[in-house]
Amino acid sequence: MQLKNDLLLRAAKGEVTERTPVWLMRQAGRILPEYRAVRESLSGFKELVETPELAAEVTIQPVDILDVDAAIIFSDILVVPEAMGCTYEMVEKRGPWFPKTVRTEEDLKNLRVADPHEHLHYVLDAIKITKKALNGRVPLIGFAGAPWTILAYMVEGSGSKTFSHARGMLYTNPQLAHQLLRMITDTTIAYLKAQVEAGANLIQVFDSWAGILSPAHYHEFSLPYISEICNAIRNVPVTVFAKGAFFALEDFANLNCETIGLDWNMEISKSRAQVGPNKTLQGNMDPCLLYSSFDTIQHETIKMLKEFGPQRHIANLGHGVYPDTDPEKVKCFVQTVKEYSFTVNS
């Protein structure tokens, strides 16, 4: 299907664009009253993720309401451990919780390399429904968590400030960690390929807990597996977003991906110098900017756009939009990107 708005894909590939494309991580979610209305009619978050028609509905809401240049399928990175046999619960105001963790060789025996068509069909169905409903208006982004980030949850059993159990495993039983990472990577590659087959136009890999690793551990336990994923997904652009991994930016330049996401702690000019001219950069506004005044949002957004420059940039936040953000402030950010870029490039 021919896309009516292909700015995101062209920017990712390094092609000249008439303005900077813009979307937001976590744009489909709690900031929108329309999302909350759907969510409150259900038993919980997981039911929404696992109901393709409703997941498609909330995926499209930000395109209609916020006027962003891409949709990202409504799902969660934790569907991968779920598919592998390590189930999670989403506890209100606490986040994910795993009743059973993976900390021994015996625990590993209870897991499988998942078949996405069997164990993750609800995500694939949601992508197909969304693509049909979007009718080529904007691209659809598919995604998965990076293997290290998924391991962190499976070993720790929940979110954590330190992920001490997961990080401890890298010292006490590195062989087990690599075995688990191998299973996660094989599942993730098959899952992302299936997302592309279902209609995803671009893939993003989220390494949410990259920044808690030492550089040495990141180079052993995360980067090689991300590289494998990038090498496997070659028929659509791939974005790698590794929060906190400023120490690996030069390594990211060698990944077989098109776009590198920056968090708000990464300096734009320094990051560009480290990544080089052959990657598109995505980001990297501090999500807390959207708590400020409309004038401040406009000023800081224009400042960001000037620093990134008119090409090889996808405007976004440096992390997901926070749930108590005013949607009108998000619209201000999006509109500022669109108007400034159009003026500069026209």
Side-chain angles (χ1 to χ4, degrees):
M1 183 184 293
Q2 188 71 30
L3 287 168
K4 300 177 181 70
N5 176 349
D6 63 352
L7 283 170
L8 179 82
L9 301 184
R10 286 160 51 204
K13 295 173 184 176
E15 298 174 9
V16 174
T17 56
E18 53 272 25
R19 66 168 176 82
T20 302
V22 56
W23 68 281
L24 293 89
M25 291 179 279
R26 292 186 183 157
Q27 65 187 17
R30 291 173 290 176
I31 66 163
L32 298 178
E34 293 83 354
Y35 164 84
R36 291 197 294 272
V38 175
R39 168 71 174 74
E40 287 164 7
S41 68
L42 304 172
S43 62
F45 173 83
K46 284 183 72 176
E47 185 182 357
L48 179 51
V49 168
E50 295 170 6
T51 307
E53 295 78 9
L54 296 180
E57 180 181 342
V58 297
T59 296
I60 296 169
Q61 284 175 351
V63 179
D64 294 334
I65 299 164
L66 304 176
D67 200 24
V68 287
D69 291 313
I72 181 166
I73 194 65
F74 184 83
S75 186
D76 196 275
I77 63 171
L78 299 182
V79 299
V80 164
E82 178 96 35
M84 293 174 65
C86 186
T87 60
Y88 74 100
E89 299 172 10
M90 195 61 76
V91 181
E92 198 69 34
K93 296 183 180 178
R94 277 187 54 198
W97 179 68
F98 288 79
K100 293 184 179 180
T101 56
V102 182
R103 297 185 183 176
T104 67
E105 282 80 0
E106 200 62 32
D107 294 331
L108 204 66
K109 293 176 183 176
N110 297 320
L111 302 180
R112 64 190 167 222
V113 173
D115 178 346
H117 298 285
E118 180 181 352
H119 305 117
L120 290 159
H121 57 86
Y122 54 89
V123 180
L124 307 181
D125 290 343
I127 289 173
K128 293 172 186 175
I129 294 167
T130 302
K131 284 286 288 188
K132 185 175 181 181
L134 282 172
N135 195 30
R137 290 166 60 195
V138 294
L140 177 61
I141 302 168
F143 71 91
W148 154 250
T149 286
I150 300 302
L151 176 147
Y153 281 109
M154 294 173 77
V155 173
E156 202 73 26
S158 66
S160 169
K161 290 182 179 179
T162 62
F163 283 94
S164 56
H165 291 292
R167 287 168 51 226
M169 179 186 284
L170 307 186
Y171 290 101
T172 61
N173 200 341
Q175 182 180 354
L176 178 61
H178 280 300
Q179 286 177 297
L180 179 52
L181 287 165
R182 174 79 272 138
M183 295 180 72
I184 295 168
T185 302
D186 290 345
T187 296
T188 301
I189 287 172
Y191 176 43
L192 291 175
K193 284 184 173 180
Q195 288 189 44
V196 174
E197 290 169 9
N201 301 106
L202 182 145
I203 292 297
Q204 179 152 317
V205 179
F206 287 88
D207 205 357
S208 306
W209 297 112
I212 66 171
L213 290 180
S214 69
H217 270 170
Y218 194 76
H219 284 90
E220 179 179 354
F221 293 101
S222 186
L223 196 59
Y225 296 101
I226 290 176
S227 182
E228 272 192 59
I229 292 169
C230 292
N231 290 340
I233 310 298
R234 294 314 313 144
N235 48 346
V236 300
V238 175
T239 299
V240 173
F241 174 64
K243 187 175 182 296
F246 60 90
F247 50 79
L249 284 172
E250 290 182 9
D251 300 288
F252 292 158
N254 299 316
L255 287 176
N256 202 3
C257 69
E258 285 68 27
T259 302
I260 302 298
L262 305 182
D263 67 47
W264 72 92
N265 289 313
M266 295 175 178
E267 293 180 56
I268 295 168
S269 58
K270 187 178 290 187
S271 299
R272 171 52 76 195
Q274 290 175 296
V275 171
N278 298 320
K279 300 286 188 199
T280 295
L281 297 180
Q282 178 175 279
N284 70 332
M285 186 60 71
D286 185 344
C288 284
L289 171 74
L290 301 181
Y291 293 139
S292 64
S293 68
F294 290 101
D295 286 345
T296 302
I297 292 169
Q298 289 174 333
H299 178 268
E300 291 299 317
T301 301
I302 290 170
K303 180 180 173 184
M304 177 190 76
L305 290 168
K306 286 179 177 177
E307 192 163 358
F308 273 108
Q311 302 300 327
R312 297 221 79 144
H313 176 219
I314 297 167
N316 207 313
L317 303 180
H319 198 236
V321 62
Y322 297 145
D324 59 346
T325 303
D326 180 352
E328 294 304 315
K329 302 290 183 71
V330 176
K331 291 178 187 177
C332 177
F333 173 75
V334 171
Q335 205 56 40
T336 301
V337 173
K338 289 187 167 187
E339 290 176 359
Y340 177 81
S341 300
F342 178 80
T343 302
V344 167
N345 294 307
S346 62

